[in-house]
Amino acid sequence: TSSKSSNRSNRTKRPAAHMEADGELDHPLKTLVKAARLMNPMQFDVGKEISCNKPLPGSSKRVYGKVTKNVPKKLAHELDNGLVPLPAKVCFSCNKSCRVAPLIQCDYCPLLFHLDCLNPPLTSLPTGRWMCPNHVENFLDSHLLKSQSLTERLRLWDRYTGLVDSHAVKVDFLNKIHRKHPMFRFRRKLPSRLSISVPPAVKYFYQNPPTLLPDPARNVSC
């Protein structure tokens, strides 16, 4: 009889255990919390048509949903003294490697800089995206940008940034050189300098200089 009662109790407990494993006996608020973790609220999300999809300096570098690949390690013969991977990267300003100081790489180009070689120098490594001073966007933001509008800022970037056609620059330079009336080559008469009349006594002394007096005798003691 005891064995039969134990078997019956086990049969009654099995469905409860399966229900707890499936989460059917959880509190309704727990189910709501699980759903909130999986689905972010979209009521206050900015639409894609008006959101900024361009990575701006200072924005976060984190990329969600990107699978990181396993990068193979450098072999011993590919390292310089076992520390710096070859080819060694150098600073764009001082042309020295990372042995002098740590290097920081621009997030928009392959250039590298020391923290002390920048103007002004950086005291710590930036946590967000960083743009080196070789980009024209820094000049646009400091001189041509007249408001804090993101639309105007992106409009200036799209207008003055981009690839430069070297052939067009050369043709423009040759056209300016060989044109008929080039700039800054007009002959212009300069006004005459102011002059004064020299008195005749000064001219006489220049024409007839007086004889110099002899040097006084010096007593040279032996």
Side-chain angles (χ1 to χ4, degrees):
T1 57
S2 61
S3 60
K4 292 181 180 180
S5 61
S6 61
N7 292 333
R8 289 177 182 177
S9 61
N10 292 333
R11 290 177 184 176
T12 55
K13 290 180 180 179
R14 283 177 184 174
H18 286 294
M19 292 175 67
E20 290 179 0
D22 296 337
E24 296 179 0
L25 297 180
D26 290 347
H27 198 273
L29 292 179
K30 292 184 179 180
T31 308
L32 183 61
V33 170
K34 290 182 180 179
R37 290 177 181 176
L38 298 177
M39 298 176 60
N40 294 327
M42 306 294 292
Q43 287 84 356
F44 303 100
D45 189 16
V46 181
K48 294 183 179 180
E49 62 275 1
I50 60 175
S51 61
C52 180
N53 299 324
K54 192 169 186 178
L56 299 175
S59 58
S60 178
K61 295 183 181 180
R62 294 186 61 183
V63 179
Y64 298 94
K66 186 178 181 180
V67 179
T68 57
K69 299 181 180 179
N70 296 327
V71 181
K73 294 183 179 180
K74 294 284 186 178
L75 300 178
H77 65 275
E78 296 178 349
L79 301 178
D80 182 13
N81 197 16
L83 298 175
V84 183
L86 296 176
K89 298 179 180 180
V90 295
C91 176
F92 181 77
S93 299
C94 64
N95 202 22
K96 295 181 180 179
S97 66
C98 59
R99 291 185 175 182
V100 179
L103 291 171
I104 174 176
Q105 185 175 2
C106 178
D107 293 317
Y108 300 89
C109 68
L111 299 182
L112 296 98
F113 294 85
H114 289 125
L115 298 181
D116 297 334
C117 293
L118 297 172
N119 187 17
L122 297 178
T123 57
S124 61
L125 297 175
T127 57
R129 297 181 184 273
W130 178 73
M131 181 180 289
C132 69
N134 281 13
H135 292 267
V136 71
E137 287 86 348
N138 299 316
F139 179 84
L140 297 176
D141 294 343
S142 58
H143 292 80
L144 298 182
L145 189 61
K146 299 181 180 179
S147 65
Q148 299 296 330
S149 175
L150 179 60
T151 306
E152 182 181 355
R153 185 181 185 185
L154 295 179
R155 188 184 298 113
L156 285 175
W157 285 19
D158 295 338
R159 181 179 179 183
Y160 292 102
T161 58
L163 298 177
V164 179
D165 189 4
S166 60
H167 181 71
V169 174
K170 294 177 183 178
V171 171
D172 188 18
F173 175 73
L174 293 176
N175 291 335
K176 289 182 178 180
I177 289 178
H178 296 288
R179 62 183 179 180
K180 187 175 181 180
H181 299 290
M183 298 177 63
F184 308 111
R185 291 190 182 181
F186 295 101
R187 293 185 179 181
R188 182 178 178 183
K189 293 183 179 180
L190 298 177
S192 58
R193 297 181 179 180
L194 298 177
S195 59
I196 58 174
S197 59
V198 181
V202 177
K203 293 181 180 180
Y204 175 78
F205 278 109
Y206 273 98
Q207 294 173 358
N208 303 311
T211 57
L212 298 178
L213 297 177
D215 294 338
R218 298 179 181 179
N219 296 326
V220 180
S221 61
C222 297

